[in-house]
Amino acid sequence: MKKKIIWLFYLLFAICFTFTTINIILHNTYYKALHLICVTTLCLVGLTIIYKNLSQNEKFIEKNYNKILISFGIGMFIIEIVLGIALRYDPLWDVGAIHKGAIEWVETGTFENYYEYFYRFPNNLAAMAFLHLFFKIASIFGIKDYFAISVVINSIMVSCTTVIVSLICKKIADVKYAVFALVLFGFSVQFYFLGGAVYTDMLSVMFPVLFFYLYLNSKEQSEKRKIITYILMGLTITIGSLNKFTVIIIAIAVGIDLLINRKFKEFAKILVSVVSIMMIFNVTFNLYMYSSHLDRQTAKGENTPYNHWVMMGLKGDGVYNPEDYEFTRKYDYDENRNSKINKEIFDRIKNLGFCGIFDLAMTKSTADFGNGTYGAEDFYNCNPQTDTKLHDWILPEGKNYKKYATYATSMHIAILIFMLTAAWGFVCSDDEKRKKMFSLYLTIFGVYLFLLCWETNRRYFSNFAPVIFICGTLGIDKFIEVCLKTKEKIKCGLK
């Protein structure tokens, strides 16, 4: 029964992401299909050659892995800081609220000028408080360049993520996969520009993979050490989900994996740890915020309910539209705003019908997963404070932007193809990695389902992009195997 469930899941995953990947290439709303096909092919060939070279030098890699890992992490960290500060901008809108709200809190003891924003969008309160913590520490030492501090914090998150992904690949497979993961990050140029993309996506990017890494470690530990690891897992998922609530998806995936494998004791222990720590942190944080800064009754009336973004995702292509904000804001809490939104959601589903829902799902998944830049340019386009040659590459109106974005997206597609090849491999054969990677694939599928229901945005999957990198890294063998089999069949056919 367990094997059948896992097999059916991989089949469903493979079918959904096959459609999505084909649509990303052929019906991409951002870039030309021919360009993507050509550059993706070059990426696949180049990465395959690199992996084969790594396989031939495994002893050298194993001997020098720690040096390679530390050097790469530090190198990534430095590059992200340099580029982030070189592309300095003035944060606006939501980004401006969490950034400038944190600065005002440090300098005045309150963020009163942003109360109205956080009444409407309390989901960003924790991210603002997170930045405030580091800004406060910096201010003690007389550092006032808060933009630079935010870039440093973001760069730590992203560079640590690359290191953790490599360690996960080493733990699941071996050292050549661990280094190949670094190769994927090294050639994915979009990661170099994420240091300055200071928002909930990158402030939470480290936490899903850190949670999974701790989970892998717990499997090899004694009962006493497991308790400490479970507490760390609870802290990881709590801080991550406070910054961006989608982080919880990986904890749900791990929980499902444990239940399917009948590991009820481990499930119960992790559940107790995660739920109790989340409750303590959430209750404490909300008690402080709504007693020292915000008014709970005002918040109740102004809060934008989560079903608002579900409603928005059912109109047009599912992207942001001001009309839906006007719709939500015209009903106050006393007029039962949620019921009005829910009625609109059901009306839109009814009007779309089955075919309309299917078409919308294809459109949304293509837009959500179809841009390899992860939307970093949205940040750097916010009132740029410098004018450099880099802006010609990173900003949409720049003369070289299409080249950069096409390459970044092609690398992204290549990694999706590696992941997808492995998924089809798990459908066709009982590979030893199938069980080990189940919770990772389940996480990606959970994000996929969530984004089908949510507002469409190319940025929203980016805090789970590292999970896709793990699956892509560990799928390279299957890709090479398929290529070799195809080559043999072509040879036989020619004879």
Side-chain angles (χ1 to χ4, degrees), residues 76-94:
M76 179 71 81
F77 175 63
I78 292 169
I79 291 169
E80 285 168 357
I81 290 175
V82 170
L83 293 181
I85 293 174
L87 294 163
R88 184 184 291 264
Y89 59 91
D90 180 24
L92 302 172
W93 306 297
D94 302 78

Side-chain angles (χ1 to χ4, degrees), residues 403-420:
K403 296 174 187 174
Y404 154 72
T406 299
Y407 170 72
T409 301
S410 297
M411 267 299 297
H412 168 64
I413 293 169
I415 295 166
L416 285 177
I417 289 171
F418 289 152
M419 175 187 76
L420 190 55

Side-chain angles (χ1 to χ4, degrees), residues 168 171-172 211-220:
I168 289 171
K171 194 167 280 290
I172 292 177
F211 178 85
F212 189 74
Y213 180 66
L214 290 169
Y215 167 63
L216 289 179
N217 280 335
S218 72
K219 292 181 175 184
E220 303 166 355

Side-chain angles (χ1 to χ4, degrees), residues 386-406:
T386 58
D387 184 15
T388 69
K389 288 184 178 179
L390 281 171
H391 286 90
D392 287 338
W393 292 87
I394 194 71
L395 297 186
E397 61 269 22
K399 62 181 180 181
N400 295 310
Y401 173 76
K402 284 290 183 183
K403 296 174 187 174
Y404 154 72
T406 299

Side-chain angles (χ1 to χ4, degrees), residues 10-11 13-14 418-428 441 475 478:
Y10 276 116
L11 179 63
F13 181 98
F418 289 152
M419 175 187 76
L420 190 55
T421 310
W424 279 113
F426 297 150
V427 172
C428 299
Y441 276 87
K478 281 289 179 187

Side-chain angles (χ1 to χ4, degrees), residues 146-433:
Y146 297 117
F147 180 85
I149 296 300
S150 68
V151 170
V152 170
I153 299 306
N154 223 36
S155 299
I156 289 171
M157 293 291 168
V158 179
S159 55
C160 285
T161 298
T162 63
V163 170
I164 295 166
V165 166
S166 180
L167 291 170
I168 289 171
C169 291
K170 184 173 183 283
K171 194 167 280 290
I172 292 177
D174 58 48
V175 72
K176 68 176 179 288
Y177 293 97
V179 174
F180 186 63
L182 299 179
V183 170
L184 293 184
F185 280 115
F187 280 96
S188 297
V189 292
Q190 63 270 32
F191 271 85
Y192 299 128
F193 294 101
L194 294 178
V198 185
Y199 194 50
T200 55
D201 312 289
M202 290 304 111
L203 290 175
S204 65
V205 71
M206 180 183 76
F207 297 99
V209 289
L210 178 58
F211 178 85
F212 189 74
Y213 180 66
L214 290 169
Y215 167 63
L216 289 179
N217 280 335
S218 72
K219 292 181 175 184
E220 303 166 355
Q221 293 173 336
S222 63
E223 288 303 315
K224 287 184 179 179
R225 290 198 66 180
K226 277 184 180 181
I227 294 170
I228 297 169
T229 303
Y230 291 156
I231 292 169
L232 290 174
M233 288 169 70
L235 288 169
T236 299
I237 213 71
T238 298
I239 297 168
S241 60
L242 279 170
N243 279 337
K244 195 170 184 74
F245 72 92
T246 54
V247 170
I248 198 72
I249 291 172
I250 195 163
I252 295 169
V254 166
I256 292 170
D257 188 17
L258 288 168
L259 288 174
I260 287 174
N261 286 289
R262 295 179 170 274
K263 295 182 178 179
F264 301 122
K265 284 185 180 179
E266 287 86 347
F267 171 80
K269 288 173 185 176
I270 293 172
L271 181 67
V272 168
S273 174
V274 168
V275 171
S276 58
I277 292 172
M278 284 186 77
M279 284 180 65
I280 291 167
F281 268 71
N282 276 285
V283 169
T284 305
F285 181 73
N286 284 307
L287 277 174
Y288 169 74
M289 279 295 174
Y290 291 101
S291 61
S292 301
H293 295 284
L294 303 174
D295 176 68
R296 196 174 289 277
Q297 200 59 37
T298 306
K300 194 176 181 181
E302 290 292 318
N303 181 10
T304 305
Y306 286 124
N307 56 357
H308 161 82
W309 285 279
V310 176
M311 176 182 72
M312 189 179 286
L314 288 165
K315 185 175 182 178
D317 292 342
V319 297
Y320 166 84
N321 69 81
E323 293 85 7
D324 278 349
Y325 270 106
E326 289 173 15
F327 177 89
T328 298
R329 297 261 68 91
K330 75 180 178 183
Y331 300 108
D332 60 35
Y333 187 82
D334 294 332
E335 288 182 88
N336 210 347
R337 181 189 295 161
N338 280 335
S339 66
K340 297 286 185 182
I341 294 172
N342 287 336
K343 183 180 182 303
E344 184 65 20
I345 288 170
F346 287 114
D347 285 346
R348 290 183 184 185
I349 291 171
K350 187 179 178 181
N351 291 333
L352 282 167
F354 177 80
C355 293
I357 290 289
F358 180 81
D359 289 342
L360 180 61
M362 291 295 99
T363 301
K364 290 180 73 171
S365 61
T366 303
D368 283 327
F369 289 91
N371 193 307
T373 68
Y374 304 160
E377 60 267 37
D378 295 346
F379 299 87
Y380 296 116
N381 219 6
C382 288
N383 196 12
Q385 302 295 292
T386 58
D387 184 15
T388 69
K389 288 184 178 179
L390 281 171
H391 286 90
D392 287 338
W393 292 87
I394 194 71
L395 297 186
E397 61 269 22
K399 62 181 180 181
N400 295 310
Y401 173 76
K402 284 290 183 183
K403 296 174 187 174
Y404 154 72
T406 299
Y407 170 72
T409 301
S410 297
M411 267 299 297
H412 168 64
I413 293 169
I415 295 166
L416 285 177
I417 289 171
F418 289 152
M419 175 187 76
L420 190 55
T421 310
W424 279 113
F426 297 150
V427 172
C428 299
S429 62
D430 192 3
D431 191 289
E432 62 177 278
K433 289 178 192 168

Side-chain angles (χ1 to χ4, degrees), residues 14-49:
I15 290 169
C16 290
F17 269 89
T18 296
F19 275 111
T20 299
T21 306
I22 290 169
N23 278 327
I24 287 171
I25 297 169
L26 299 182
H27 305 292
N28 199 297
T29 55
Y30 308 109
Y31 317 111
K32 292 181 179 178
L34 182 60
H35 293 172
L36 289 176
I37 291 168
C38 292
V39 182
T40 300
T41 303
L42 290 173
C43 289
L44 290 170
V45 171
L47 291 170
T48 301
I49 292 168

